[in-house]
């Protein structure tokens, strides 16, 4: 009898694929190991072993696997169960989940290019013969294909070999090239600590008289130190002493000078003494901790509803401590990479080297390392902080999940599949591990609050800011009125200008929030009305002054700003609307001596870009920080006394049933950045609609009112959490075909599922990257079985795919969060 292996390929196949294996292989292979397999005519993939069995596939003659890549599973049983849930629930394939979940260094393919790692310090003696051959070949060639590596070592399958080389850091894969970007670190020098001692120093100077050049360097260092207390860059010392790098390097090698990098120093942490590690919770925090534990005892997820700056993080710290005391691992999920750098410093104060970080800006190499540490339950990975992808790590012993800022929509992944919501997937993960989970927020999502109110979740709350710091004083500024009375300078009301001036005079910092990047979202010709549009998408192009470009925020298309209208030729171009860049520019004119920083997608592209902006603002190297929603989330700045919201209206008017909830959350969160110490913080919200109920609720901090109203509306108009939603988006380059196929799809859905189908409708942006889009919305009453409904939809999809004229039409599912 033959043996067979079902594998999951990292591609969107509906079914597992079966290969033939020997008996020895069957004995060795365990679920969750990687195997290299041939697929199609020429391709080789890394696949995940799923099941060994003895039933030959009926539809095709199975091929043999090429190689087993692991000695032990790199993926656990629980992970596979969780991933199956993700695939099933979010209506994608297991292959797509795996592609997203595993670090790509695990998934070499025949098309992968292998490149030399120029930054690696390779010890040739450490390499095997085959490894050395590849290493040597890459000294002469810039890249090798997998097949070329095969030829070099004269072996059929080399994925395992390349895996080892990637792991050793000797080679890189093509995809990680962009991550090789390293921030240009400034190198600094100082005198080694031992020379703090005056006698030692005297000895040194004495000794150096025999080396006049080195002596000159040390003396110059003293002169620079006398001039200022700031760190001394090597370049400056070089200039001052007129010595060569070699001389300075000699001093560093002799441990007389010490070289250091500022960025590195920031990430470094000093372990706190036992005494300062201990934080006493105040009575409100303590009560919350007890309520959370009560919920855990009942086996429920718990919602922690604590106002901004109430000290939720310290409560999490206690929960993590409990978890570690039980010898278990903890996962701390954050919605945004930008938040990890502040949090990691805080947690390392308590837990030192037990904290690891995992997110997509980490290099492939680093990610593999964290993966293995978690799998091996290493000391270093007892606590993992991460953005949503850390949910897919191979925990073997998970005891606690913290989902911080649980209301954040950035927990949802929109592209590519799996289009999952990390908070909801975390709840399922915790259930599979039988571990505790706490969801925390100052402004809980309607869904989570609903779950708490219906006892599905436990509930704990902290209604007071820590240290009895007052909630910020929030005021609305009517800019309609101000505009009429000509009391605006650019986009700043007099009230806001005055408040900024006062804050700056007190030496305090200011955050300004505008939820659009770029300079102006619309460039219009005042003669003919023509608006510069993206040729690929149904949106106007945003003007970016810094590059003097018009850019599309959907597809990245860009062109130089034209001098004259492309339609009529008049030079009468005018901007409409405004983004962060314009605010920054106006600030330059209003406050010429003030340092203004900006945090948005355009300024945070590099690996350390967030950290640089955040720490520079923390260190008060800037006075004002202008930003998009990135500045609203959970950051803890001590010296910010004023938060200004440039315009609250665009958010409120967004065509989405969650727009009001989101506006409330965003405004409350950004307001929460103000006055986190003793002095009461101030918040100014500029708006054309000061009587809007959401703005009223924000200023009076009325979460409960907001919840009641929004919940009522969702009941009235049948939206989650009262029904479940699935959105199907159809995409095609051919407008007519799209419409016809969307009608077919909606019709079939109505035939099977009845009346709860809305659409097809064009979304607000109805064309993106040359694809026309149309949405069909399915509302599923809570008493209707969800899995069954999804199966019906999938069956309709099968019939749809069988219609040859619709072949080019792509279907995208979004479940719950659309
Ligand atoms: P939140 O996460 O709820 O916004 P934080 O956890 O950031 O609030 O707490 C706000 C500030 O109060 C932080 O600077 C934190 O260090 C401080 N803090 C909170 N709880 C305590 C405590 N029990 N003892 C000392 N300081 C605390
Ligand atoms: Zn024109
Ligand atoms: Zn575009």
């Amino acid at each position: 009898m033959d043996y067979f292996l079902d594998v999951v390929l990292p591609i969107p196949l509906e079914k597992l694929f079966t290969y033939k294996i020997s008996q020895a292989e069957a004995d060795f292979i365990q679920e969750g190991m990687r195997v290299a397999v041939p697929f199609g005519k020429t391709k080789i993939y890394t696949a995940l072993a799923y099941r060994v069995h003895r039933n030959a596939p009926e539809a095709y003659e199975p091929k043999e696997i090429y190689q087993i890549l692991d000695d032990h599973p790199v993926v656990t049983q629980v992970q596979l169960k969780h991933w199956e849930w993700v695939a099933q629930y979010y209506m994608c394939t297991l292959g797509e989940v795996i592609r997203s979940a595993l670090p790509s260094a695990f998934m070499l393919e025949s098309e992968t290019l292998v490149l030399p790692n120029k930054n690696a310090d390779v010890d040739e003696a450490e390499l095997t013969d085959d490894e050395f051959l590849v290493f040597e070949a890459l000294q002469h060639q810039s890249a090798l294909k997998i097949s070329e590596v095969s030829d070099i070592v004269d072996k059929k399958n080399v994925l395992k070999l390349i895996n080892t080389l990637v792991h050793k850091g000797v080679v890189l894969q093509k995809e990680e090239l962009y991550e090789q970007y390293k921030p240009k670190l400034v190198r600094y020098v100082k005198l080694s600590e031992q020379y703090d001692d005056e006698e030692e120093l005297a000895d040194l100077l004495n000794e150096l008289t025999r080396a006049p050049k080195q002596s000159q360097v040390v003396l110059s260092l003293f002169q620079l130190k006398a001039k200022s207390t700031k760190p001394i860059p090597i370049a400056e010392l070089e200039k001052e002493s007129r010595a060569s790098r070699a001389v300075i390097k000699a001093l560093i090698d002799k441990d007389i000078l010490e070289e250091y990098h500022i960025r590195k120093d920031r990430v470094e942490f000093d372990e706190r003494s036992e005494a300062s590690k201990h934080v006493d919770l105040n009575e409100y925090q303590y009560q919350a901790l007890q309520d959370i534990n009560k919920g855990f005892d009942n086996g429920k997820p718990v919602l922690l509803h604590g106002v901004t700056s109430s000290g939720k993080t310290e409560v999490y710290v206690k929960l993590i401590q409990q978890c570690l005391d039980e010898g278990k691992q903890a996962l701390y999920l954050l919605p945004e990479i930008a938040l990890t750098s502040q949090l990691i410093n805080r947690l390392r104060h308590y837990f030192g080297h037990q904290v690891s970080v995992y997110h997509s800006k980490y290099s492939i190499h680093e990610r593999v390392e964290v993966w293995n540490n978690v799998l091996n339950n290493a000391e270093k990975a007892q606590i993992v902080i991460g953005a949503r992808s850390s949910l897919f790590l191979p925990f073997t012993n998970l005891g606690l999940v913290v989902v911080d800022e649980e209301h954040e929509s950035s927990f949802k992944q929109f592209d590519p599949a799996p289009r999952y919501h990390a908070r909801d997937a975390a709840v399922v993960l915790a259930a599979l591990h039988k571990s505790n989970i706490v969801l925390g927020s100052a402004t809980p999502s309607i869904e989570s609050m609903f779950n708490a109110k219906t006892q599905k979740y436990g509930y704990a709350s902290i209604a007071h800011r820590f240290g009895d710091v007052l909630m910020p004083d929030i005021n609305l500024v009517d800019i309609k009125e101000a505009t009429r009375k000509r009391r605006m300078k650019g986009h700043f009301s007099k009230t806001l200008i005055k408040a900024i001036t006062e804050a700056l005079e007190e030496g305090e910092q200011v955050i300004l929030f505008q939820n659009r990047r770029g300079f102006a979202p619309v460039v219009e010709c005042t003669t003919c009305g023509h608006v510069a549009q993206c040729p690929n998408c149904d949106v106007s192009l945003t003007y970016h002054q810094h590059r003097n470009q018009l850019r599309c925020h959907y597809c990245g298309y860009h062109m130089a700003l034209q001098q004259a209208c492309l339609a009529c030729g008049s030079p009468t171009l005018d901007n409409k609307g405004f983004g962060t860049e314009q605010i920054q520019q106006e600030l330059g004119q209003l406050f010429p001596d003030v340092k203004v920083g900006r945090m948005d997608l355009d300024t945070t592209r590099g690996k350390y870009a967030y950290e640089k902006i955040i720490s520079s603002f923390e260190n008060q190297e800037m006075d004002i920080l202008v930003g998009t929603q990135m500045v609203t989330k959970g950051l803890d700045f001590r010296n910010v006394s004023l938060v200004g919201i440039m315009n609250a209206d665009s958010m409120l008017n967004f065509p989405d049933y969650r727009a009001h909830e989101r506006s409330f959350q965003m405004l409350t969160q950004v307001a929460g950045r103000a006055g986190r110490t003793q002095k009461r913080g101030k918040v100014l919200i500029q708006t054309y609609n000061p009587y809007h109920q959401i703005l009223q609720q924000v200023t009076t901090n009325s979460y409960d009112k907001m919840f009641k109203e929004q919940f009522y509306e969702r009941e009235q108009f049948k939206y989650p959490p009262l029904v479940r939603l699935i959105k199907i988006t159809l995409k095609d380059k051919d407008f007519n075909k799209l419409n016809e196929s969307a009608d077919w799809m909606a019709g079939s859905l109505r035939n099977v599922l009845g009346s709860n189908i809305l659409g097809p409708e064009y979304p607000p942006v109805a064309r993106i990257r040359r694809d026309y889009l149309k949405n069909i919305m399915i509302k599923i009453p809570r008493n209707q079985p969800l899995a069954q409904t999804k199966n019906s939809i999938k069956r309709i999809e099968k019939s749809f795919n069988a219609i040859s004229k619709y072949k080019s039409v792509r279907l995208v599912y979004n479940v719950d969060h659309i």
Side-chain angles (χ1 to χ4, degrees):
M1 270 285 262
D2 293 331
Y3 288 85
F4 299 96
L5 174 68
D6 290 346
V7 304
V8 193
L9 285 154
I11 46 178
L13 290 177
E14 282 297 331
K15 288 193 175 139
L16 300 175
F17 219 71
T18 306
Y19 290 85
K20 207 162 139 174
I21 49 175
S22 67
Q23 184 173 357
E25 285 169 334
D27 289 341
F28 185 80
I29 290 176
Q30 296 174 45
E31 189 177 324
M33 285 182 181
R34 289 169 304 156
V35 288
V37 294
F39 186 75
K41 284 208 180 76
T42 54
K43 281 191 184 164
I44 302 169
Y45 278 110
T46 301
L48 213 54
Y50 194 79
R51 196 166 65 95
V52 176
H53 59 86
R54 314 201 64 169
N55 312 316
E58 284 168 10
Y60 52 94
E61 180 62 34
K63 295 181 189 165
E64 286 175 18
I65 63 167
Y66 273 153
Q67 197 166 30
I68 302 169
L69 299 174
D70 294 308
D71 304 330
H72 301 282
V74 292
V75 169
T76 69
Q77 305 272 334
V78 179
Q79 274 179 299
L80 278 171
K81 260 199 201 132
H82 186 232
W83 298 354
E84 276 166 11
W85 177 86
V86 170
Q88 198 274 329
Y89 192 84
Y90 294 105
M91 305 179 78
C92 65
T93 65
L94 191 54
E96 287 170 311
V97 182
I98 284 174
R99 170 137 237 149
S100 176
L102 279 175
S104 58
F106 277 166
M107 303 306 268
L108 295 170
E109 293 169 12
S110 48
E111 298 101 287
T112 306
L113 280 183
V114 183
L115 308 135
N117 183 357
K118 300 227 166 66
N119 297 318
D121 232 347
V122 177
D123 181 358
E124 292 170 15
E126 292 272 296
L127 302 179
T128 65
D129 291 349
D130 281 351
E131 288 167 6
F132 180 75
L133 286 175
V134 179
F135 170 70
E136 199 193 51
L138 282 170
Q139 304 307 308
H140 312 293
Q141 254 170 296
S142 61
L144 292 171
K145 291 194 192 126
I146 299 281
S147 58
E148 291 170 329
V149 176
S150 268
D151 292 344
I152 289 168
V153 297
D154 196 19
K155 291 205 168 120
K156 192 166 80 172
N157 193 300
V158 291
L159 291 194
K160 191 163 188 169
L161 170 65
I162 297 168
N163 261 308
T164 325
L165 285 167
V166 169
H167 193 70
K168 290 186 176 173
V170 178
V171 304
L172 302 169
Q173 293 166 255
K174 177 72 187 298
E175 303 88 74
E176 70 181 324
L177 243 201
Y178 70 98
E179 284 169 340
Q180 283 304 297
Y181 159 82
K182 284 240 163 68
K184 197 161 176 283
L185 297 177
V186 184
R187 300 194 302 151
Y188 295 88
V189 272
K190 61 184 179 197
L191 206 57
S192 292
E193 247 170 53
Q194 50 176 317
Y195 303 112
D196 287 351
D197 183 299
E198 285 191 15
E199 252 173 59
E200 291 260 1
L201 183 62
D203 285 352
L204 173 69
L205 291 175
N206 216 346
E207 204 176 296
L208 282 182
T209 46
R210 274 171 286 141
K213 278 188 184 161
Q214 297 187 0
S215 168
Q216 179 56 40
V217 170
V218 174
L219 291 175
S220 301
L221 188 69
F222 281 127
Q223 276 158 8
L224 287 171
K225 259 175 77 178
K227 271 193 238 163
S228 120
T229 53
K230 285 199 183 135
I232 299 162
I234 291 198
E236 208 175 319
L237 181 62
E238 206 178 295
K239 221 166 90 193
E240 182 79 20
S241 63
R242 299 212 188 82
S244 66
R245 278 268 152 132
V247 177
I248 298 176
K249 186 167 180 299
L251 285 164
I252 293 172
D253 289 344
K254 286 204 296 202
D255 284 337
I256 296 172
L257 295 186
E258 197 179 301
E259 180 186 13
Y260 65 106
H261 305 285
I262 285 290
R263 192 199 61 77
K264 190 163 161 237
D265 278 0
R266 276 190 190 131
V267 177
E268 264 173 17
F269 57 94
D270 36 61
E271 285 208 29
R272 273 195 197 175
S273 66
E274 278 305 315
S276 68
K277 268 188 192 171
H278 186 81
V279 165
D280 282 318
L281 297 185
N282 68 19
E283 56 181 306
Y284 310 112
Q285 288 170 315
Y286 184 71
Q287 185 60 47
L289 181 68
Q290 287 200 312
D291 292 344
I292 294 170
N293 276 323
K294 213 182 289 163
F296 287 170
D297 289 343
N298 293 329
K300 288 182 185 179
V302 179
L303 174 64
L304 171 59
H305 180 191
V307 297
T308 54
S309 206
S310 57
K312 294 185 288 296
T313 316
E314 304 299 334
V315 176
Y316 302 144
V317 166
K318 297 283 184 221
L319 292 170
I320 293 170
Q321 189 60 57
Q322 286 177 17
C323 166
L324 296 188
D325 289 346
E326 285 174 22
K328 294 189 168 166
Q329 302 165 311
L331 168 64
Y332 194 128
L333 280 177
L334 284 160
E336 189 87 42
I337 297 168
L339 291 173
T340 51
S341 62
Q342 268 201 347
L343 187 74
I344 188 156
N345 286 332
R346 263 177 100 170
L347 292 192
R348 278 190 172 158
H349 273 307
Y350 296 107
F351 303 110
H353 60 276
Q354 290 174 297
V355 188
S356 286
V357 182
Y358 189 80
H359 59 60
S360 61
K361 282 204 178 182
Y362 265 46
S363 74
I364 290 179
H365 196 59
E366 289 167 302
R367 272 186 272 169
V368 169
E369 230 171 82
V370 176
W371 185 282
N372 289 330
N373 285 340
V374 172
L375 183 65
N376 301 326
N377 198 7
E379 177 76 4
K380 273 193 236 175
Q382 291 305 301
I383 305 164
V384 181
I385 305 177
R388 56 179 183 246
S389 60
S390 51
L391 199 69
F392 295 127
L393 285 167
F395 297 98
T396 47
N397 191 21
L398 189 65
L400 174 72
V401 184
V402 175
V403 183
D404 202 0
E405 314 291 349
E406 68 85 29
H407 63 279
E408 271 295 336
S409 52
S410 37
F411 276 126
K412 170 74 198 296
Q413 168 152 318
F414 282 97
D415 258 316
R419 298 180 173 83
Y420 65 104
H421 194 291
R423 175 197 62 214
D424 300 345
V427 170
V428 175
L429 182 73
L432 288 173
H433 279 278
K434 300 194 169 43
S435 90
N436 294 327
I437 176 164
V438 58
L439 316 178
S441 172
T443 51
S445 61
I446 303 283
E447 285 86 349
S448 294
M449 187 50 102
F450 175 70
N451 284 332
K453 287 194 188 286
T454 51
Q455 323 282 316
K456 192 173 156 195
Y457 291 175
Y459 180 76
S461 83
I462 313 176
H464 302 263
R465 285 189 141 188
F466 182 78
D468 286 326
V469 173
L470 291 170
M471 291 302 284
D473 174 26
I474 308 179
N475 286 293
L476 300 172
V477 181
D478 184 349
I479 45 177
K480 197 174 187 178
E481 182 77 2
T483 308
R484 199 172 56 79
K485 293 187 177 158
R486 296 178 194 277
R487 284 211 197 123
M488 296 288 287
K489 274 194 186 165
H491 297 94
F492 289 78
S493 60
K494 285 229 163 112
T495 320
L496 183 55
I497 294 175
K498 184 159 164 272
I500 296 174
T501 312
E502 283 169 9
L504 295 177
E505 274 168 7
E506 297 281 319
E508 294 154 358
Q509 290 169 293
V510 177
I511 290 179
L512 295 177
F513 168 65
Q514 168 61 10
N515 212 14
R516 271 209 119 109
R517 64 194 167 96
F519 192 85
V522 177
V523 177
E524 193 185 60
C525 167
T526 55
T527 305
C528 76
H530 174 80
V531 170
Q533 292 275 347
C534 176
N536 310 321
C537 314
D538 247 5
V539 291
S540 59
L541 293 171
T542 299
Y543 174 43
H544 286 247
Q545 191 184 48
H546 173 62
R547 302 185 179 193
N548 203 37
Q549 272 181 347
L550 295 173
R551 301 189 70 93
C552 172
H553 288 179
Y554 283 82
C555 73
Y557 171 87
H558 51 89
M559 60 190 266
L561 179 71
Q562 307 295 307
Q563 297 302 319
C565 169
L566 284 177
C568 75
S570 313
T572 53
L573 296 178
D574 196 16
N575 295 328
K576 282 201 164 157
F578 63 103
T580 43
E581 211 186 11
Q582 190 165 159
I583 296 305
Q584 192 180 18
Q585 194 210 34
E586 289 183 3
L587 282 167
Q589 288 156 3
L590 291 166
F591 303 96
D593 303 326
V594 164
K595 284 220 189 65
V596 181
R598 177 157 61 92
M599 185 154 92
D600 57 28
L601 208 58
D602 298 317
T603 61
T604 52
R605 294 202 195 268
K607 179 167 173 181
Y608 297 108
Y610 288 119
E611 279 175 36
K612 280 191 201 154
I613 296 176
I614 290 171
S615 54
S616 138
F617 193 57
E618 267 174 346
N619 298 339
Q620 301 185 27
E621 291 158 16
M622 322 167 189
D623 306 298
I624 304 180
L625 182 62
V626 180
T628 53
Q629 29 80 29
M630 281 181 195
V631 300
T632 65
K633 298 172 188 176
L635 292 164
D636 187 26
F637 296 118
R638 316 272 54 203
N639 190 42
V640 173
S641 67
L642 174 70
V643 167
I645 287 125
M646 300 308 299
N647 183 324
D649 304 324
S650 57
M651 267 185 289
L652 288 165
N653 298 331
F654 198 75
D656 179 311
Y657 73 94
R658 281 196 171 92
H660 285 180
E661 176 194 351
R662 290 231 173 99
S663 303
F664 180 89
Q665 287 160 341
M666 218 184 261
L667 293 169
T668 306
Q669 291 288 345
V670 67
R673 301 312 112 215
R676 293 172 69 88
T677 46
Q678 284 316 312
K679 190 174 160 183
R680 188 171 191 198
K682 193 172 173 129
V683 180
L684 291 174
I685 303 179
Q686 300 194 134
T687 171
Y688 284 94
N689 304 293
Y691 299 104
H692 197 291
Q693 93 265 21
I694 286 288
L695 296 182
Q696 295 293 334
Q697 287 155 5
V698 171
T699 49
T700 52
N701 193 26
S702 312
Y703 175 88
D704 293 339
K705 236 188 196 161
M706 185 282 294
F707 177 83
K708 262 200 202 104
E709 261 179 42
Q710 294 305 312
F711 193 78
Y712 176 77
E713 285 191 13
R714 303 225 183 148
E715 268 180 323
Q716 293 302 300
F717 301 107
K718 296 212 172 65
Y719 278 111
L722 294 136
V723 300
R724 296 176 184 281
L725 277 189
I726 296 174
K727 182 175 80 177
I728 307 180
T729 305
L730 296 92
K731 298 186 184 184
D732 199 84
K733 300 214 177 339
D734 180 332
F735 182 71
N736 292 327
K737 193 193 284 182
L738 175 81
N739 282 318
E740 197 190 310
S741 62
D743 288 341
W744 186 98
M745 189 76 192
S748 313
L749 287 166
R750 284 199 175 93
N751 278 341
V752 177
L753 297 170
S755 60
N756 291 320
I757 313 290
L758 305 181
E761 260 172 23
Y762 298 109
V765 178
R767 185 165 166 260
I768 295 176
R769 293 174 199 270
R770 295 173 185 272
D771 277 325
Y772 292 97
L773 311 180
K774 226 163 178 183
N775 289 336
I776 300 171
M777 195 89 82
I778 304 164
K779 288 185 172 175
I780 306 169
R782 285 192 88 84
N783 56 9
Q784 184 175 319
L786 191 60
Q788 227 168 301
T789 310
K790 284 177 185 162
N791 286 339
S792 308
I793 297 171
K794 282 281 178 186
R795 268 200 300 278
I796 295 170
E797 179 186 342
K798 277 221 176 76
S799 324
F800 182 87
N801 288 336
I803 303 173
S804 62
K805 60 179 168 172
Y806 298 153
K807 220 174 162 153
S808 62
V809 182
R810 274 149 304 138
L811 297 181
V812 171
Y813 295 100
N814 277 285
V815 178
D816 293 343
H817 299 264
I818 57 172

